[in-house]
Amino acid sequence: AQFEYLNARAKEFLAAGQTHAASDLLLQVSASGLADHQAQRLLVEVATSIGKKDVARAKCALLAEALRLDGQAELAVEVERLAQAV
């Protein structure tokens, strides 16, 4: 439940244009071990919104690989599509 709240809060920051706040929150969530793949996808959005397309693409590549390792090949393909759109 705590992760869902933090994830929703990060989305609110992004929607309000507060990318640094969203990034800080998501990085803290990741560092705490609470993060799942959704938090990683939000970090891709943060990187894209601040013009760091190379970082967003690299993040997508890592996330796609992690999803494949978790047996989530369909989501990995979706993330790879996201990388192409960045």
Side-chain angles (χ1 to χ4, degrees):
Q2 181 182 10
F3 173 72
E4 289 82 15
Y5 169 76
L6 295 172
N7 204 20
R9 191 72 180 124
K11 287 180 182 179
E12 290 173 13
F13 284 139
L14 278 174
Q18 298 175 341
T19 55
H20 292 292
S23 177
D24 289 348
L25 178 59
L26 291 167
L27 289 171
Q28 288 177 14
V29 168
S30 293
S32 73
L34 289 175
D36 70 354
H37 300 306
Q38 181 62 29
Q40 301 300 322
R41 289 183 72 166
L42 286 172
L43 281 170
V44 169
E45 287 183 42
V46 169
T48 302
S49 70
I50 61 173
K52 301 286 187 175
K53 292 183 180 186
D54 56 333
V55 173
R57 283 190 213 83
K59 190 72 164 159
C60 284
L62 291 172
L63 180 54
E65 185 62 29
L67 288 166
R68 278 196 179 78
L69 291 172
D70 283 349
Q72 299 180 48
E74 289 180 21
L75 280 176
V77 170
E78 183 180 321
V79 169
E80 289 171 339
R81 286 187 194 125
L82 176 62
Q84 292 173 355
V86 170

